[in-house]
Amino acid sequence: MKLFLAFSLIMLTSFTSIAHEYFFGFAELSYNSTDQVIEGTLMLSTHDLEEWFQIKKLPVKELEDHVSDEKLIQQMASTLFSEFKIKNNGTSLKLQLIGYEVLPNGMTNFYFHSNKTEKPQKLDFTFDLMMNELPKQQNKITYLDKQKSYTAVFVSTKKQSSIIIE
């Protein structure tokens, strides 16, 4: 009986302490030469993002409930783009949120584009999204250019990085 109780206690505590220790965010970007803008997608864990928005004092409970709330979407965009920034050839880009979708796999995609800009040769990024509140947050950018892809990785000790496009 003692063995059963000990086993039960161990199993119970292992299930109640299940939580991910690391958090991940991804961005994928490319240059649209027709419109002369950088287009991108931010891919973030829905659960972590909802909690982070609440920490930032945004009234977000379930992201899928707010897809038509333009005022809140603008607040979310402002919050996201205060911690995700791009400079093209030394010039800061203004990022505009096009929309977002909550996916069944637990991720949320935010679609955006920049103001008009020349084709990048060097992109400078700040991608410290959620890192102040979640110190183990790790972010990664992939920039796609024709047949080549470039990546940059961001952690709490490295919140800025550059990509030189060859």
Side-chain angles (χ1 to χ4, degrees), residues 14-28:
S14 68
F15 286 122
T16 58
S17 64
I18 293 175
H20 51 207
E21 195 170 325
Y22 293 93
F23 307 87
F24 299 93
F26 304 94
E28 195 169 279

Side-chain angles (χ1 to χ4, degrees), residues 97-109:
L97 186 64
I98 299 167
Y100 74 94
E101 69 179 321
V102 180
L103 303 173
N105 66 358
M107 299 295 286
T108 298
N109 288 349

Side-chain angles (χ1 to χ4, degrees), residues 57-70:
K57 307 291 188 224
L58 293 178
V60 175
K61 297 269 189 246
E62 303 281 334
L63 277 167
E64 56 268 7
D65 294 341
H66 303 289
V67 292
S68 60
D69 185 341
E70 290 299 321

Side-chain angles (χ1 to χ4, degrees), residues 152-166:
V153 176
F154 303 82
V155 293
S156 62
T157 56
K158 185 182 177 219
K159 298 178 179 182
Q160 298 179 327
S161 190
S162 298
I163 292 176
I164 297 173
I165 294 102
E166 301 169 347

Side-chain angles (χ1 to χ4, degrees), residues 48-111:
D48 298 336
L49 188 60
E50 289 167 343
E51 286 185 11
W52 182 70
F53 279 146
Q54 289 174 7
I55 291 169
K56 294 290 194 177
K57 307 291 188 224
L58 293 178
V60 175
K61 297 269 189 246
E62 303 281 334
L63 277 167
E64 56 268 7
D65 294 341
H66 303 289
V67 292
S68 60
D69 185 341
E70 290 299 321
K71 182 180 177 190
L72 185 56
I73 290 171
Q74 287 308 311
Q75 291 173 325
M76 287 190 286
S78 177
T79 303
L80 288 168
F81 297 141
S82 71
E83 298 186 16
F84 176 79
K85 300 174 187 170
I86 306 172
K87 287 184 180 179
N88 180 20
N89 303 325
T91 302
S92 293
L93 298 179
K94 182 178 181 202
L95 303 177
Q96 180 180 3
L97 186 64
I98 299 167
Y100 74 94
E101 69 179 321
V102 180
L103 303 173
N105 66 358
M107 299 295 286
T108 298
N109 288 349
F110 288 89
Y111 306 104

